[in-house]
Amino acid sequence: MELNNRFFKRAASLLLCLTTAGMMLFSFTARAESPDEMTLGDQFYGTGEVIYDNTSIAGVYSGPAEDVVFEIEETTTITGIWTYHWYRESTDEWEDAYVWIESEDGYVYGPWDVQAEEGQGGRENVNWYVFPYVTLEPGTYYLYDSNLSTWSYAYDTDNKGICMIRGISGGTETSNTSLSFLDGENLLTNPSFEKGLKGWEDPDELWGTDPDTTDHEATDGECFAWPSEGASEDTYIYQDVDIDSDDIGKTAVLSAMIANFDQTPIDLARLELIFLDSKGKEIESYYQEHQDIEWGRHTITATIPKKTATIRVQLHAIRYAGSIIDAYFDDIFLGVTDEEFTDIASYTFNGYTFDIPAYWGEADVYEDGIYFYGEDEDALPAVFISIMNIEDIFDDEIYGLTDEEAIEYLESYKEWVFSYDIDARNITDSEEITIAGYPAIIYSATITLYEADDIRMAIFMDNEYIYELMIMEYEDSDPSYLMDLDYIAASFSK
């Protein structure tokens, strides 16, 4: 069966035109913290390795004429970017400034708003930093700065902007194939901390599970783990899981939802997968780091090495500012699978970054949507992410929703979608989730467009747009990829 992409683009945007008054977008109230104890420069130089270095100690000029081009030779997580802006006049241009990365084939990562810090001689706001924690695959990339006219360069920087890029190369695997592994057996005890820290070891006795003093809500249940009781520079909890010898050579999958408190600089959360032998000695280890106020799902996959007797899951929190380490962990999953794994790619659309398995292929990007058609753009399965401006939907201005009001609205939206003449059946109850910090619903159904097709859809809205995330495949496809949407939705961050 061949499909018309334009028709499916319309089908992915079944939008509701309603007059709705008195709704308010929900928001969090920030908690005050003590003054920063680590500079942005300390944070930048303390994370990752140098991936690209175009620095100089010579006199500087403004407005470089050449692009900054850098190579990634192996899968790399970019942990920090620094650009230098020495200018004589205004010192507040950084407040609206941002940087971004673009791949050789035109895919954009970012943009990321900069944070500024003083430089030599106390010159204000000349060092600009971002901490994107975005994963890049091998290839050629360009670094761009929104304030080219003030970006500094020197005679020995090849007429390119002065900058440094740091990151973590190799060692961390961020890959999987069908993400339905989250429905498999979880080897961890108390993975969402609904029973406090039962099953977890807390060597420093600094961790708790009560979210009430944070600005976040749990993603699974009512609780999440974080070091609420102390001001150590770093601390961790862990859980050990013994494995059978038959598991050697299989793939271990570790996945977690992670978030941080909104402060400058942001504390660091690190998810660690550690393989131990029968004497407790480390054989290999892998990790991923998160430094974002929004919940995001991080997944590590690695082949279980020879002599492994125990897998250790370690949740590590590192303080950069304040009196408490604000690194939050929830919904932890550890599994062992025979499944063959392929890479995950990161994309940015309309300001949101998300992950999607590489087998979905390259994105087709339009003004109102981003679509993935896998290997065959004329056939299912396919992924659709579409948006519509709220101003085009509502007659009245909408300033916000409480959590409950947002869910009620999304449920009414769902009902409207299935009132469309698409012969909908097998409609599941909605599961309430969070996407990029906003309340959302996710559900499945079978609809008839050309033929009967299975879909899984998630819907959320921010201050400007309604977002529809959908996977569509032929009815009763084997294998089914519908559960990939759960992972894609959980990976959304702003």
Side-chain angles (χ1 to χ4, degrees), residues 274-313:
I274 304 170
F275 298 106
L276 306 174
D277 65 17
S278 59
K279 295 182 179 181
K281 182 179 179 180
E282 180 178 317
I283 303 172
E284 292 179 3
S285 64
Y286 301 86
Y287 67 92
Q288 278 200 27
E289 294 180 336
H290 185 91
Q291 210 166 16
D292 195 303
I293 63 174
E294 303 292 353
W295 285 107
R297 179 165 290 282
H298 289 257
T299 301
I300 303 171
T301 70
T303 302
I304 301 174
K306 294 179 180 179
K307 298 184 179 181
T308 299
T310 301
I311 297 176
R312 174 168 293 180
V313 173

Side-chain angles (χ1 to χ4, degrees), residues 3 8 11-12 177-180 354-357 359-360 370-374 379-386 418 442-447 449 453-459 468-475 477 479-489:
L3 305 177
F8 266 49
T177 180
S178 176
L179 299 167
S180 58
F354 61 95
D355 295 334
I356 190 165
Y359 55 73
W360 286 107
I370 181 169
Y371 310 105
F372 301 84
Y373 297 97
L380 295 180
V383 178
F384 308 93
I385 300 173
S386 58
F418 291 119
I442 190 167
Y443 51 87
S444 302
T446 302
I447 64 174
L449 290 175
D453 300 304
D454 292 330
I455 65 169
R456 187 157 178 77
M457 181 177 287
I459 305 172
E468 289 181 318
L469 288 59
M470 183 171 72
I471 291 182
M472 179 180 290
E473 64 186 16
Y474 301 131
E475 186 177 22
S477 291
S480 173
Y481 296 96
L482 294 183
M483 297 308 294
D484 282 12
L485 188 64
D486 296 69
Y487 182 92
I488 295 169

